[in-house]
Amino acid sequence: MRARWRAAGLAVSTVALLPAAWSVIVAMPSFGEHVSPYGAAVNAVVPAARHVSNMVAAVNFDLRGLDTLGEESMLLCAVTGTVVLLRGARGEETSGSAIRLPGRAIAQRSDATILICRFAATLLFFFGVYVALHGLVTPGGGFQGGVVIASALLLLYLGEGYAHWRSIVRGRVLSVLEGAGALLFVLVGLIPLAFGKAAFQNILPLGTFRDLYAGGTMVVVNAAVACAVAGGFTLILLEFMEETRAPETETEPGEGG
Amino acid sequence: MTDPASLLPLAVLLPLGAAAALLMLSHWLPPRSADLAATIVSLLLALFCGWLAWRGLNQPLIHWFAGWTPASAGRPDVRLGISFVADAPSAAVSALYALLFAASFVFSWGYFDKVHAHFQVLMLLFLAAMIGFCMTRDLFNLFVWFELMSIAAFALTAYPLRESSLEGALNFIVTNTIASFSMLMGIGILYARTGTLDFALMAQALAGHGGALAAGGFCLLAFALLTKAAIVPFHFWLSDAHAVAPSPVSVIFSGAMVSAGCFGLFKIVIGIFPLDRAVIAFVHDGLPWFGIVTAILGGLTAWAQRHLKRLLAFSTIAHLGIVLVGVATLTPEGEAGMLLYIGGHGLIKGALFMIAGILLARFNSCDEIALYGRGRALWPAGLAMGVGALLLANAPVGLLYRAGDVIDNALGWRAESIAAVLSSALTGGALLRAAARIFLGCSGAPGPERSAPTEREREKSDRPLWLMLLPCCLLLVLALLPANLLEPFLRRAARNLLTASNMHPAVMNGAPPDALTPSAFLTPGLAVALALLSILRLRPVGRFARFAARLETLPFRVLHILHSGLVTDYVMWMALGLSAIAMVFYLR
Amino acid sequence: MSWLTGIMLVVAAGAGVLVVLSRDPKRQLFALFANGLVLSLLFFVLQAPDVALSEIVVGAVVVPLLFLVALAAIAVAKVRE
Amino acid sequence: MSVLPWCVAAWLFAVGIYGVVTSRHYVHLVGCLSVCQSATYVLLLAVGFHWNAGPPIFYDHPPGTPAVDPVVQALVLTDIVIGATVTALLLAIVVQVQKLSGSVDPQRLRPLRPNA
């Protein structure tokens, strides 16, 4: 179908959607005046019930823990899919060591770059850990901290160069980290069942309000999410970086085929 | 401890835990342990969900996660936590899906040996997502499982890393991701309107006249679920995704994932909009027409295919049209018929995709014309394919025939029964034609299927034939079970569910007679006639014969052009479909 | 305070259009980064600090980085063609 | 002003769909998908917003003070993760498609058919 027909079809559907969309937009509650009972109840009940001050983290890790477990499984799924898609095509054996693309000049890194990157990478790494740790008290949390840790590990590449970076950041360790984070989260769901309580029940002592380690199992879930996200995103970035150095020889396309 | 409601989360936590453990230990596992673990987990889940269905028949089992029961919110109009509710239909459908996964794991034994259990990890996440999708009673949780189901399916479709499977996966991802974004917009609108995400509270808030927000929210949710259920005009992605996915994955796609879309729509209509007059009017009067058009279009396109997996994909689209009609009946026996149809169709389509997998493994192709007469050595597979084709053609035995009969009786529309007869005859006839060509070597010039898209593909071939045929025959035997074992159970389950959502269903009119009326042989007879017609077709020689042949292939050529394979066309058709639904609502 | 929210919403709409209209993927990288930044500021104005932090980290850093590496991989694949 | 966020959400969704339909490069198409997704962020967060209410973090002000809806923010956090994972998966496939079929133009890639 030629592009003209597609644009025409899209225009027709937009014109047909306009009246219905406008009636929905007008019927929506006016911006900023609407208070939803669910949110108001969370703000009222949860600080006292779970001694935690970050309501978003409380909703994420305790009230609606199952959504976050689904989210972690999605990350597990995407990481496994990306690894299969990218590493599978290159063949299993080459992923261990860093491949060099012949003919690509190795940019000589100046000492200033190496120093600044080492300093910035460690600082960023500890900032990621800080954001993950303070997830239940101030804005932040396992997910944001994990992604900051992943970007810190990538910053190492800028300073150390590809071969050395691959020796520091191992694919196998990352997949274990990813699996361990997800498994820990599932165990947090399973163990209360053994005690006859509901799944994901907060069985650990809740600690004092506004304290760093308040919130019982929420601290464990926060750590599990941080590990899974850090391992997952680093593995995705690592596989993509490996892709930019595909070897000359054409490997057999994947083992599934 | 043995109270089933407290064990309910195991249905989801078990596969997720198994997947995480397999990923973590993937480098140190002995070769076949991943296959074994996955098979055991899915069989365990099939039994567990069957037990839940049995226990949840009269009183649905409810499990509030993290202990946030309704009382803990301190306000009657708020539910702080997420709940799983195992009513009999949801648990029965989950048991069917777990069984299909177990059969697929046995069929794919040793299929992927060089990889570190990645296939089993993705399939277990897929299974967990489908069971969670059936069980949850929270709208955003339903979206999370819908999305996890999609992402696992995306990765599995692109698994063989062939050019066509990657392009098929791209079409699949773009169309389904747009559908899930629109579902999230629908959830945002419904959250603004009702202030909660729990099905029961939303139903209370939307009782009577839900207003434009309920209609808009339903439109966007229906758009996403109809895309997943591959209903015309949202169905284009399905044939590309199924034809290129590995066959054990196609077994799950056609057998389980597509019907989950229809089942999700059923649960949303029953759970959230039972008392919203505008939505119920649309579902009861508008949706059957979508189903009828899908059945007819799917049947016709399936008739004009030569690539077996593409043919099975279009036959899935056709039969999902009938399932959608079952959803739209909104009466206990109509819904019982729909559940029976999902079961029967899932089992038969799973078995047929396994046969396509066997052909791929043995002959590196599943193209009907290329495999002409080469299947004689594999006569057991041919026999199974013949039985499957006859069952799809509504042969008067087994689950599918009974289900189709019950749905016809429940809706009673003349157009619907014609569409059901036509689509079953066309899909059954196409499969009989393919079976005759591959296994019996009957000749016959290819008609409209000559110009259908096809491809030479390769699947791992050193797997023993008995290991591949065993699950296929098991599924066919289950599909041949007399329906009167399951039907009363499903009928009571559907009745309890409808009364629970106080839909006060119409009085239960009697079940259709079980006698073998002569009309029962109309559809299979038509299917056999169509197959014979194409087998005995002579090469058009005379001027009139050539003109007739060209006239005959004209509609099919239009269908081939329509299913162009371009994702940009597909998205445009989806936008048109969404505006069609919105117009029907707006003009009412 | 309400005019700031209004302005940020309009700027977010504009950033979306910018991403769509920059057809060349290399230029789209900068549009994506700008879109992530604008969305993060909008979330900050809508009193959602957690989401703003997450959007900056994902939408403005990791996703454009993924696009960059993907484009590099595509360039390597094209060179080897 | 009271309907502005809903219009911006609808606008972003429509622009995203337009970008997807008229795209000539798959990486550009993935960017348009992320615009489509930002429409859901804007809609969800605007539903939970309330005038002169603070963020739902009771660290520096006591738990009683008026705050916006934290549930919606949790939903958007999950949605951002979904966006990142789908983008990663899509880009991985686009890189492979470039290698195997030599082109990444969504208006020419047809599975199971010779590329026109």
Side-chain angles (χ1 to χ4, degrees), chain A residues 142-169:
Chain A
F143 172 68
Q144 294 89 340
V147 178
V148 169
I149 291 171
S151 55
L153 292 178
L154 196 66
L155 189 59
L156 271 180
Y157 153 68
L158 205 59
E160 301 307 313
Y162 191 71
H164 191 206
W165 178 62
R166 279 304 308 277
S167 62
I168 298 170
V169 174

Side-chain angles (χ1 to χ4, degrees), chain A residues 6 36 38 62 64 67 193 199, chain B residues 66 68 80 138 141 191 569:
Chain A
R6 270 197 294 275
S36 96
Y38 197 174
D62 191 315
R64 301 183 67 87
D67 286 349
L193 278 181
Chain B
W68 290 97
L80 286 179
D138 182 278
N141 200 237
Y191 183 73
D569 289 356

Side-chain angles (χ1 to χ4, degrees), chain B residues 371-385:
Chain B
L371 287 179
Y372 171 70
R374 292 181 52 194
R376 282 200 181 81
L378 289 175
W379 61 268
L383 195 63
M385 184 165 177

Side-chain angles (χ1 to χ4, degrees), chain C residues 8-23 28 30-39 42, chain D residues 8-9 11-20 28 30-39 42:
Chain C
M8 286 315 298
L9 280 166
V10 172
V11 169
V17 170
L18 187 68
V19 168
V20 167
L21 289 189
S22 48
R23 297 284 175 188
Q28 196 189 23
F30 303 105
L32 273 171
F33 174 76
N35 188 26
L37 204 61
V38 162
L39 278 179
L42 171 66
Chain D
V8 167
W11 167 260
L12 282 173
F13 199 81
V15 164
I17 297 283
Y18 169 76
V20 165
H28 170 264
V30 175
C32 297
L33 271 181
S34 71
V35 167
C36 222
Q37 185 160 30
S38 60
V42 169

